[in-house]
């Protein structure tokens, strides 16, 4: 006789999983997240900086203002003591102080330029061919810094002494013409190896580069972009022999302002190698 087997006791059901404990905090020396989304903005910023510096270093030496077309020597009508029609003029006479009493003994040349550009250099070269000069006085509110670099190279190659004077007396004329050398004109003067100062305080005004004018095709809005361009331009000017201290002093004033050098500034920067 068989008996039905009693059902075996059921095994206890498995326990429900306990709630997960919080994950430990990341270790402090974990490598940075180098995903494309995190790295791409930094790469783009660096690329823009490289392009700006490359543009400033490799830009043509002569950049014309406001879309002005390049001129050849045949396009520049020039005669001594006659306006060339391009806002540039070369005269001959003596550099003096404001009173016209203390002047240079020898005749010197005077470049008056409404805006220094490549045309200024062409006018200057033609005047030098017709009547060479050893000293050149400057009278200009400024212009393109790249045209200034070109003019500085030519002045250095000819061994010409540049002059910053309080006034100028043109040949066969009376009266003292007041002079002033501002902006890129001051840079051109500082690039000369021999720099003559005539009078107690010749007017020399300095400020930073006007980047929107020098680089009209670039949309320059960020301060960092101006810093990069300033570094590239300063490097090119330093190669002309202008000390870093002088460049830093010149560019300390914003491009929207103008700072006229004092006698203390001129002495501190050793801007004149000779004085009358």
């Amino acid at each position: 006789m068989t008996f039905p087997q009693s059902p075996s006791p059921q095994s206890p059901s498995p326990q429900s999983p306990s709630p997960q404990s919080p994950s430990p905090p990341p270790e402090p020396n974990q490598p940075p997240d180098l995903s494309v989304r995190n790295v791409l903005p930094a790469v783009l910023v660096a690329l823009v900086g490289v392009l700006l510096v490359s543009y400033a270093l490799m830009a043509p030496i002569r950049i014309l203002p406001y879309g002005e077309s390049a001129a050849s020597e045949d396009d520049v009508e020039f005669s001594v003591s006659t306006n060339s029609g391009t806002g540039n003029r070369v005269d001959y006479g003596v550099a003096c102080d404001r009173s016209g009493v203390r002047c240079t003994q020898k005749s010197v040349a005077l470049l008056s330029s409404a805006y220094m550009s490549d045309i200024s250099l062409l006018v200057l070269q033609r005047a030098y061919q017709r009547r060479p000069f050893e000293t050149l006085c400057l009278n200009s509110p400024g212009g393109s810094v790249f045209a200034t670099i070109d003019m500085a190279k030519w002045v250095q190659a000819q061994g010409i002494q540049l002059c910053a004077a309080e006034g100028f007396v043109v040949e066969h004329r009376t009266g003292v013409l007041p002079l002033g050398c501002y902006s890129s004109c001051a840079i051109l003067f500082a690039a000369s190896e021999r720099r003559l100062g005539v009078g107690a305080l010749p007017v020399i005004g300095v400020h930073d580069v006007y980047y929107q004018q020098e680089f009209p095709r670039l949309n320059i809005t960020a301060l960092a972009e101006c810093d990069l361009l300033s570094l590239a331009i300063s490097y090119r000017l330093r190669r002309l022999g202008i000390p870093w201290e002088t460049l830093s002093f010149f560019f300390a004033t914003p491009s929207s302002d103008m700072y006229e050098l004092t006698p203390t500034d001129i002495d501190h920067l050793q801007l004149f190698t000779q004085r009358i």
Side-chain angles (χ1 to χ4, degrees):
M1 184 175 179
T2 60
F3 297 93
Q5 297 181 355
S6 60
S8 61
Q10 295 183 357
S11 60
S13 59
Q15 298 180 353
S16 59
S18 59
Q20 295 183 354
S21 59
S23 58
E27 298 180 3
N29 294 329
Q30 283 187 345
D33 185 5
L34 298 180
S35 61
V36 174
R37 190 172 70 177
N38 293 336
V39 174
L40 185 58
V43 173
L44 291 178
V45 171
L47 182 60
V48 170
V50 171
L51 291 176
L52 287 174
V53 174
S54 301
Y55 183 86
L57 289 174
M58 301 177 64
I61 292 297
R62 298 173 182 174
I63 294 182
L64 300 178
Y66 307 114
E68 184 178 328
S69 60
S72 63
E73 291 190 10
D74 296 334
D75 298 328
V76 181
E77 298 177 0
F78 171 78
S79 61
V80 175
S81 299
T82 301
N83 195 307
S84 67
T86 58
N88 297 277
R89 177 188 183 103
V90 174
D91 294 292
Y92 291 84
V94 290
C96 302
D97 59 5
R98 286 184 174 85
S99 62
V101 175
R102 187 170 49 185
C103 304
T104 55
Q105 295 181 353
K106 295 182 179 180
S107 176
V108 299
L110 169 66
L111 172 65
S112 298
S113 175
Y115 185 93
M116 287 187 169
S117 66
D118 65 335
I119 300 178
S120 307
L121 177 57
L122 293 176
V123 170
L124 197 58
Q125 289 173 331
R126 182 165 294 187
Y128 186 79
Q129 291 174 357
R130 296 190 178 187
R131 184 176 171 180
F133 46 83
E134 297 179 358
T135 302
L136 174 67
C137 292
L138 302 175
N139 184 33
S140 174
S144 169
V145 67
F146 291 103
T148 299
I149 293 174
D150 219 9
M151 296 174 68
K153 290 182 177 180
W154 181 81
V155 167
Q156 291 179 354
Q158 306 302 322
I160 296 174
Q161 175 182 244
L162 292 186
C163 168
E166 291 181 335
F168 194 89
V169 178
V170 181
E171 290 179 349
H172 312 299
R173 297 183 188 177
T174 59
V176 180
L177 175 68
L179 305 183
C181 185
Y182 297 91
S183 188
S184 60
C185 177
I187 295 176
L188 173 60
F189 180 77
S192 176
E193 296 180 358
R194 297 184 297 137
R195 302 177 297 275
L196 173 64
V198 181
L201 183 59
V203 179
I204 302 176
V206 298
H207 64 178
D208 197 4
V209 178
Y210 187 29
Y211 299 101
Q212 287 79 3
Q213 179 174 292
E214 296 291 346
F215 303 93
R217 297 182 180 180
L218 297 180
N219 184 18
I220 301 174
T221 56
L223 182 62
E225 295 172 348
C226 293
D227 290 341
L228 290 170
L229 292 174
S230 177
L231 180 62
I233 292 175
S234 298
Y235 173 75
R236 296 183 70 166
L237 295 175
R238 180 66 187 90
R239 293 178 63 182
L240 294 174
I242 305 177
W244 282 116
E245 183 180 8
T246 302
L247 293 173
S248 300
F249 192 93
F250 281 15
F251 294 162
T253 302
S255 58
S256 56
D257 298 328
M258 186 70 69
Y259 176 77
E260 292 188 2
L261 300 183
T262 65
T264 302
D265 299 330
I266 293 175
D267 293 339
H268 174 72
L269 298 174
Q270 299 180 353
L271 206 55
F272 296 148
T273 59
Q274 182 183 355
R275 301 201 67 159
I276 294 179

